[in-house]
Amino acid sequence: MNKLYMIVVPIIVIIVVGVIGEVIYLHYQSPNVRTSTISVNNNGTTTSMTTTTTTVPTTMTSTNPIPQLIYVTSPASSPTPVYLNTSTIPSFYIEVNMWNAKTWNGNYTMVFNPLTRTLSVSFNLTQVNPLEWTNGYPEIYVGRKPWDTSYAGNIFPMRIGNMTPFLVSFYINLTKIDPSINFDIASDAWIVRPQIAFSPGTAPGNGDIEIMVWLFSQNLQPAGQQVGKVVIPIYINHTLVNATFQVWEMKSVPWGGWEYIAFRPDGWKVTNGYVAYEPNLFIKALSNFTTYNITNYYLTDWELGTEWGTMTSNGTAYFSWTISNFSETLL
């Protein structure tokens, strides 16, 4: 065999192996280097430029953290703020609000998912004490209840005399319910005197009004007695419906002294689907029944949830539901 051939072949093999090894080494150890050509237009003259971009493999950390699920655990009236869109003002409050239940066995969950804007609630309780028509009201709301110290959102308080129309909209899905419990799906809100509206943490009383708009009820009726009926247009599953509501009134509730007026569906109900309505239409109807001239009163919030009670269920309560895309939009 030719000696030169014998020398050249090992050299080629060494070079090839070395190149491959270097490529493998760079692939795992060096930054990725990419070369590209771009064109820059400068005063009508186009110049081609070659740029080299070096990308170092690394673990990427987003500057916008993934929103976390918000769990509400306190059974007391202690609202939990929900912050969306990086705002420093809460977009909503959510609350378990077991205001009329002292003891119970079992468990409940209440969790808000910021990505889907869905509030999920599930109760499975026994031996609730005391037995009441209403033990609690798990809810989501915008604004401020009179007992609260700060507002969620930016549209309240609203003076009734020059109130800006706004739209409340949401999806409700009642997935499970004990047929023996007292239950409703309802909005709640407060129309109060100026001294209550602008004194955070001050409880309402004689001279103030609680308004409710019901969509469904089971083994439960509003406080007081029926005093009339009204027809108010609302959207149900994206269809405008002229809905008839019974109007119920109690001049002075024994648990606080304020006036209570509720609008209850007359011969219809909503337990699943999309709902939207203008609260100012209910407030205009309310002015025909209330004891007070509410022109200089203020609407401080709008709430949505489910009242539940155990008067007819021997202390048991199980139900679950979701509310999605709850919003209040100025018109």
Side-chain angles (χ1 to χ4, degrees):
M1 181 178 293
N2 190 297
K3 292 183 180 180
L4 178 61
Y5 178 77
M6 293 176 62
I7 295 172
V8 170
V9 170
I11 292 175
I12 294 176
V13 171
I14 292 171
I15 293 175
V16 170
V17 171
V19 169
I20 293 176
E22 182 68 15
V23 169
I24 294 174
Y25 176 83
L26 289 175
H27 176 74
Y28 285 102
Q29 301 295 329
S30 300
N32 294 322
V33 180
R34 296 185 180 182
T35 302
S36 60
T37 301
I38 62 174
S39 297
V40 179
N41 191 301
N42 184 19
N43 296 325
T45 302
T46 302
T47 304
S48 294
M49 300 175 59
T50 300
T51 63
T52 301
T53 303
T54 302
T55 304
V56 179
T58 184
T59 301
M60 299 301 295
T61 302
S62 173
T63 58
N64 298 318
I66 297 174
Q68 301 297 307
L69 298 178
I70 300 172
Y71 292 88
V72 183
T73 57
S74 172
S77 297
S78 52
T80 298
V82 175
Y83 295 90
L84 300 176
N85 304 321
T86 67
S87 174
T88 57
I89 299 174
S91 298
F92 311 112
Y93 284 119
I94 51 179
E95 190 173 353
V96 176
N97 198 9
M98 293 173 69
W99 65 275
N100 210 15
K102 303 201 182 308
T103 61
W104 60 86
N105 290 331
N107 57 76
Y108 61 85
T109 59
M110 186 175 193
V111 58
F112 184 81
N113 186 333
L115 289 177
T116 61
R117 293 182 61 135
T118 298
L119 174 63
S120 301
V121 171
S122 180
F123 275 61
N124 189 1
L125 306 178
T126 61
Q127 299 180 350
V128 177
N129 179 56
L131 302 183
E132 294 286 353
W133 292 105
T134 302
N135 287 107
Y137 181 58
E139 60 173 318
I140 183 171
Y141 64 97
V142 172
R144 179 181 67 81
K145 298 181 187 180
W147 298 271
D148 294 348
T149 57
S150 60
Y151 282 90
N154 58 6
I155 70 174
F156 297 109
M158 282 188 178
R159 182 176 174 272
I160 301 301
N162 55 358
M163 183 176 173
T164 302
F166 67 100
L167 185 73
V168 171
S169 61
F170 54 89
Y171 288 86
I172 178 71
N173 185 20
L174 179 61
T175 55
K176 182 176 67 175
I177 185 170
D178 179 347
S180 67
I181 66 170
N182 318 119
F183 191 86
D184 67 30
I185 299 172
S187 287
D188 192 50
W190 296 92
I191 300 172
V192 298
R193 296 161 291 165
Q195 57 265 40
I196 304 299
F198 296 101
S199 299
T202 303
N206 188 6
D208 302 309
I209 303 168
E210 180 183 11
I211 175 177
M212 296 197 77
V213 177
W214 292 25
L215 296 174
F216 167 74
S217 61
Q218 172 187 279
N219 306 324
L220 188 65
Q221 66 184 32
Q225 60 185 359
Q226 185 178 338
V227 294
K229 291 184 181 182
V230 296
V231 176
I232 296 178
I234 69 172
Y235 283 92
I236 301 175
N237 290 324
H238 304 283
T239 299
L240 187 62
V241 176
N242 288 319
T244 300
F245 290 85
Q246 302 169 3
V247 182
W248 289 68
E249 181 184 32
M250 179 175 278
K251 293 294 185 183
S252 179
V253 299
W255 51 88
W258 56 82
E259 185 175 28
Y260 169 94
I261 295 179
F263 296 85
R264 180 192 189 190
D266 186 57
W268 60 275
K269 64 183 179 180
V270 178
T271 57
N272 300 84
Y274 172 81
V275 176
Y277 55 75
E278 296 180 45
N280 56 294
L281 299 180
F282 291 94
I283 294 172
K284 182 178 179 180
L286 172 145
S287 64
N288 296 319
F289 297 94
T290 182
T291 304
Y292 311 107
N293 180 351
I294 62 174
T295 301
N296 292 318
Y297 278 46
Y298 285 83
L299 179 68
T300 64
D301 73 334
W302 201 264
E303 310 166 34
L304 177 63
T306 59
E307 293 181 298
W308 63 272
T310 53
M311 184 66 77
T312 60
S313 66
N314 195 30
T316 67
Y318 70 81
F319 57 88
S320 61
W321 51 260
T322 62
I323 290 173
S324 301
N325 293 323
F326 175 66
S327 67
E328 302 183 9
T329 308
L330 295 176
L331 298 176

